[in-house]
């Protein structure tokens, strides 16, 4: 079965950096694009970033553009999110999520359990 | 960016009774490939979201048939034919037609 396991969350000071990882299993990782979506405490869902299956293209939400970088290592079945210049408003649970289709466009079908990132002094 | 709106934002329901949630997008969700990438997600407290419906009306694997989706273009609906206790939580519509993907604000469903 599909499993997405995030790690790397924690408490960081404003202006600091953090790297999240998401280890994938149960499907052919290299044939699926991957997303990061976040949810601030008590709030709704906010899409953060996407990376194509081969890493050739990435897309970002305006709130994180220029500060966050999504990447992947298909040899390790892992997707990453490098987060720099963190702000209090970046405090959220960060979910790793899988694109449903192996080619073309499409929705998200599976979500990880999430990693909590708290930005606070 | 495509703005997604949902009504109602809160829906107290009676067990065994139907429930309906509407979702509207600020522009058509028809993709250049002819598909409409509108999905519905369910999130219980403390849990990640779970996919219920994709491409407007397709139930995802393991989703009970009391859930159905309909609509076209910019107007979409999720219906629960008979609400069960496990259906409580927040329901989100999401568009995956255009980056950035965007979500509705969520509809909280609880039992009367």
């Amino acid at each position: 079965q599909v499993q997405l396991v995030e790690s790397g969350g924690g408490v960081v000071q404003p202006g600091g950096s953090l790297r999240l990882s998401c280890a994938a299993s149960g499907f052919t990782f290299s044939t699926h694009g991957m997303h990061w979506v976040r949810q601030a405490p008590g709030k709704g869902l906010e899409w953060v970033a996407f990376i194509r299956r081969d890493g050739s293209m990435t897309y970002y939400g305006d709130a994180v553009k220029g500060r966050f970088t999504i990447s992947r290592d298909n040899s390790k079945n892992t997707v990453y999110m490098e987060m720099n210049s963190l702000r209090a408003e970046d405090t959220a649970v960060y979910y790793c999520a899988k694109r449903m289709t192996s080619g073309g466009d499409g929705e998200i079908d599976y979500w990880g359990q999430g990693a909590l990132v708290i930005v606070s002094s | 960016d495509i703005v997604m709106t949902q009504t109602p934002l809160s829906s107290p329901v009676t067990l065994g009774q139907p429930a309906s949630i509407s979702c509207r997008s600020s522009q058509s969700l028809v993709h250049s490939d002819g598909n409409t990438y509108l999905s519905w997600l369910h999130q219980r407290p403390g849990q990640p979201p779970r996919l219920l419906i994709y491409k407007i009306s397709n139930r995802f694997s393991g989703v009970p048939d009391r859930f159905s989706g309909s609509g076209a273009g910019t107007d979409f609906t999720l219906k629960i034919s008979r609400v069960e206790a496990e259906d409580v939580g927040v329901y989100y519509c999401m568009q995956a037609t255009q980056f950035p993907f965007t979500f509705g604000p969520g509809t909280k469903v609880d039992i009367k």
Side-chain angles (χ1 to χ4, degrees), chain A residues 9 46 79-80 83 85 98:
Chain A
E46 179 187 15
V79 61
Y80 304 96
M83 303 184 294
S85 302
K98 168 187 165 289

Side-chain angles (χ1 to χ4, degrees), chain B residues 26-86:
Chain B
S26 60
Q27 61 192 78
S28 173
L29 297 186
V30 179
H31 193 278
S32 57
D33 66 8
N35 291 306
T36 299
Y37 294 113
L38 184 283
S39 55
W40 290 95
L41 311 172
H42 177 218
Q43 186 177 34
R44 298 187 181 103
Q47 294 293 314
R50 179 176 71 110
L51 178 64
L52 294 176
I53 302 284
Y54 64 97
K55 285 196 285 188
I56 302 177
S57 60
N58 296 273
R59 270 190 304 276
F60 189 55
S61 173
V63 175
D65 60 8
R66 64 179 181 273
F67 291 94
S68 64
S70 63
T74 62
D75 287 280
F76 308 93
T77 303
L78 174 71
K79 291 184 178 176
I80 309 173
S81 59
R82 294 173 307 279
V83 172
E84 298 190 4
E86 64 183 19

Side-chain angles (χ1 to χ4, degrees), chain A residues 36-82:
Chain A
W36 286 96
V37 178
R38 69 184 182 182
Q39 186 170 36
K43 302 297 184 183
L45 299 165
E46 179 187 15
W47 178 83
V48 176
F50 170 78
I51 185 167
R52 279 192 182 172
R53 53 188 174 178
D54 60 0
S56 62
M57 288 287 288
T58 57
Y59 301 85
Y60 297 92
D62 286 344
V64 306
K65 206 172 291 183
R67 300 187 298 122
F68 288 15
T69 302
I70 188 172
S71 62
R72 64 190 296 158
D73 186 338
N74 286 348
S75 70
K76 295 182 178 178
N77 286 359
T78 301
V79 61
Y80 304 96
M81 177 65 79
E82 185 75 38

